[in-house]
Amino acid sequence: MKKTLGLAVATTTAALVLTACGGGATGSTTDPTAGASGNAGKTITLWLAGTDTPKELRTYLQDTFKSKTGATLKIEEQSWGDLVTKLTTSLPDPKNTPDVTEIGNTQSPTFTNVGAFSDVSDLYPELGGSKLLQSFVDVGSVDGKQYALPYYFGSRYMFARKDIWKEAGVAAPKTLDEFNAAVTTITTKNPRTIKNFSGFFLGGQDWRNGISWIFANGGELAKQENGQWVSTLADPNTVKGLTQLQDLYRNASKAPADAKDQTPWLYVNDADEILDESGNVTGKTSLAAATIMAPGWAHWSIGDLKDKDGKKVREWNDAKFSAFVLPGNDGKAAPVFAGGSNIAISKASQNQALSKELLKIIFSADYQKKLGGAGLGPANTDYVSSLGDDQFAKALIDSATNSKLTPAAPGWATVESKMVMEEFFSKIRDASDLTALAQEYDAKITPLLNLK
């Protein structure tokens, strides 16, 4: 369940290629369950991204689909790094398109706005309707019609060294101001006299976690005005959040200026190893932070190192670590960026009816509960109890209740691919005039937001 936090995104040129998807679907729309035996020779393809969907869930989908329709479900795993590029070239081609595909939630607008996915508005009520995660529904919708629906969510919350918070004499925060003050105090006291120690490890380019402070102060990254998207970094509410972030960068975090949001848990463990994509050790770390912010599944990577069945694993230690939701200004959960995926039917698929049957299985109570059992937040909020009742499940659910996504602008993927947000965030710490800096980047981002 370790999804790469910085999802790959399409370039403007790649997004433009998708305009070829604008034609109507030509696949079968007859009831595929009316005569399951007639589907025995048919196969549809589902693309899943990364390893987040475990093998047992994939097998369930294949077996259930076969039993229900008589057809075969072929599942192909795509890497997150290559997903958008492959979709860009495959979706317009009826011979090579996946019938159904998983896609990162923030990537969805790139494809929905160019007509790459089938309209599933007719199925929306049956698949969960208002019970589905609204922020995910919104980024998969255009002009009130649904094209990409939520697959699963993974929200972000705080992981702390409980022992160090106690040594610094700092209590658990109830508001955002209390959190900011607490991690600053811990940095100043540095009870174990660790070099370059952070009360809160926040990378200089870590905008995905940092935007929580913007949202918590009522700010937005962008909004629509007269049918066009406009960047709003210089909005007074956004600047208030940026001001808090600047204070954290200067007084609470010693994280590198070029650090993003990958693997922050390395710095709350007593000792850990930095691995490359092949699993090779490229460096070692030691305790360097009292607090980090990460998606819920990060708890599997936090804890004491133990040998179990011949493998080295992390074992959570309640005496040493704690997990809690970032509090907002009102004491409730702060709005945080929600990770996760959407799922959609390719408009070029020749198997529209069978693809809709697959969606019905995915959004069924049985499969939604299986997602929760695997630690993935179910798309349907009726089934979040399947996540369990431990501190991690509670934090995941609580943080997701007020979570937000990036703007559903057609060109947001271009903003990400050009790494404009990383560039902007890297300048926050040393900016002498945050409003002027924000205005500079509003001018850069606004033209990109409306690209299709």
Side-chain angles (χ1 to χ4, degrees):
M1 293 181 285
K2 291 187 178 180
K3 175 178 291 184
T4 300
L5 303 186
L7 300 181
V9 288
T11 63
T12 305
T13 302
L16 288 171
V17 173
L18 288 170
T19 56
C21 297
T26 58
S28 169
T29 57
T30 57
D31 182 1
T33 61
S37 60
N39 293 320
K42 296 181 179 180
T43 298
I44 73 167
T45 301
L46 167 65
W47 279 11
L48 292 177
T51 60
D52 303 297
T53 303
K55 181 179 179 181
E56 53 269 29
L57 269 67
R58 300 180 189 211
T59 300
Y60 174 86
L61 287 177
Q62 291 174 314
D63 291 347
T64 306
F65 185 76
K66 185 75 170 182
S67 174
K68 185 174 181 181
T69 69
T72 297
L73 173 62
K74 181 181 180 182
I75 296 178
E76 296 181 354
E77 182 176 308
Q78 306 296 331
S79 71
W80 280 109
D82 295 334
L83 179 63
V84 170
T85 300
K86 287 188 175 181
L87 284 173
T88 300
T89 56
S90 299
L91 282 175
D93 183 357
K95 293 183 179 179
N96 293 302
T97 184
D99 297 287
V100 180
T101 185
E102 176 183 357
I103 184 170
N105 49 22
T106 64
Q107 299 165 340
S108 295
T110 296
F111 296 92
T112 57
N113 279 281
V114 294
F117 297 143
S118 297
D119 183 354
V120 292
S121 301
D122 59 330
L123 274 184
Y124 178 60
E126 181 181 349
L127 300 183
S130 62
K131 297 292 186 179
L132 300 181
L133 289 166
Q134 192 58 49
S135 58
F136 285 53
V137 173
D138 289 344
V139 294
S141 300
V142 179
D143 296 331
K145 295 182 178 180
Q146 290 81 39
Y147 295 90
L149 298 178
Y151 179 41
Y152 69 83
F153 72 86
S155 198
R156 295 164 186 250
Y157 51 89
M158 316 308 291
F159 295 92
R161 284 295 297 247
K162 180 195 296 186
D163 51 352
I164 293 179
W165 277 63
K166 184 177 181 180
E167 290 168 18
V170 177
K174 296 181 180 179
T175 66
L176 187 59
D177 282 340
E178 288 183 7
F179 174 84
N180 296 343
V183 293
T184 299
T185 297
I186 294 171
T187 306
T188 301
K189 289 190 173 182
N190 189 5
R192 298 190 185 180
T193 318
I194 297 172
K195 186 178 181 180
N196 293 323
F197 187 74
S198 299
F200 175 41
F201 186 95
L202 182 67
Q205 296 186 15
D206 184 2
W207 65 270
R208 289 181 176 85
N209 284 320
I211 56 177
S212 298
W213 278 258
I214 293 174
F215 294 154
N217 285 285
E220 299 285 350
L221 300 180
K223 64 181 180 181
Q224 278 187 297
E225 292 182 353
N226 302 318
Q228 294 291 306
W229 284 91
V230 178
S231 179
T232 56
L233 295 177
D235 178 88
N237 288 333
T238 302
V239 172
K240 184 177 180 181
L242 294 175
T243 302
Q244 290 181 338
L245 279 170
Q246 185 179 63
D247 183 66
L248 290 173
Y249 277 130
R250 290 177 173 179
N251 301 303
S253 178
K254 306 293 184 181
D258 61 350
K260 300 178 177 63
D261 58 341
Q262 288 94 341
T263 62
W265 50 84
L266 294 172
Y267 306 102
V268 293
N269 286 324
D270 288 329
D272 215 327
E273 296 177 334
I274 302 172
L275 307 178
D276 63 17
E277 292 183 357
S278 300
N280 298 315
V281 178
T282 60
K284 295 181 182 295
T285 62
S286 58
L287 178 62
T291 321
I292 64 164
M293 187 174 187
W297 49 254
H299 79 267
W300 296 108
S301 299
I302 297 172
D304 300 327
L305 192 62
K306 302 286 185 179
D307 285 314
K308 187 175 182 180
D309 299 326
K311 297 181 179 180
K312 292 186 179 298
V313 298
R314 291 286 170 183
E315 186 176 284
W316 183 268
N317 183 344
D318 276 325
K320 185 182 291 185
F321 301 95
S322 65
F324 60 91
V325 174
L326 177 68
N329 291 321
D330 57 1
K332 299 178 182 178
V336 298
F337 173 68
S341 295
N342 278 18
I343 198 154
I345 298 172
S346 168
K347 194 169 185 179
S349 168
Q350 302 299 291
N351 300 293
Q352 294 290 313
L354 282 169
S355 295
K356 288 185 176 182
E357 290 304 311
L358 176 59
L359 289 191
K360 291 177 184 178
I361 295 170
I362 288 172
F363 287 92
S364 68
D366 282 349
Y367 190 74
Q368 291 291 299
K369 292 175 182 177
K370 288 182 180 296
L371 284 169
L376 302 171
N380 191 316
T381 56
D382 276 350
Y383 306 114
V384 293
S385 61
S386 61
L387 287 163
D389 59 2
D390 60 22
Q391 62 180 311
F392 311 114
K394 290 177 180 177
L396 178 62
I397 294 169
D398 289 346
S399 60
T401 58
N402 203 22
S403 62
K404 298 186 67 168
L405 294 180
T406 51
W412 182 258
T414 305
V415 175
E416 290 198 17
S417 69
K418 290 179 176 293
M419 300 185 74
V420 181
M421 292 298 288
E422 283 86 351
E423 183 181 300
F424 171 65
F425 263 66
S426 71
K427 297 180 179 181
I428 291 175
R429 178 189 178 97
D430 297 324
S432 58
D433 187 335
L434 281 172
T435 298
L437 177 66
Q439 290 172 337
E440 175 189 343
Y441 277 84
D442 280 340
K444 289 185 178 183
I445 294 171
T446 293
L448 301 177
L449 292 174
N450 298 289
L451 293 175
K452 292 186 179 182

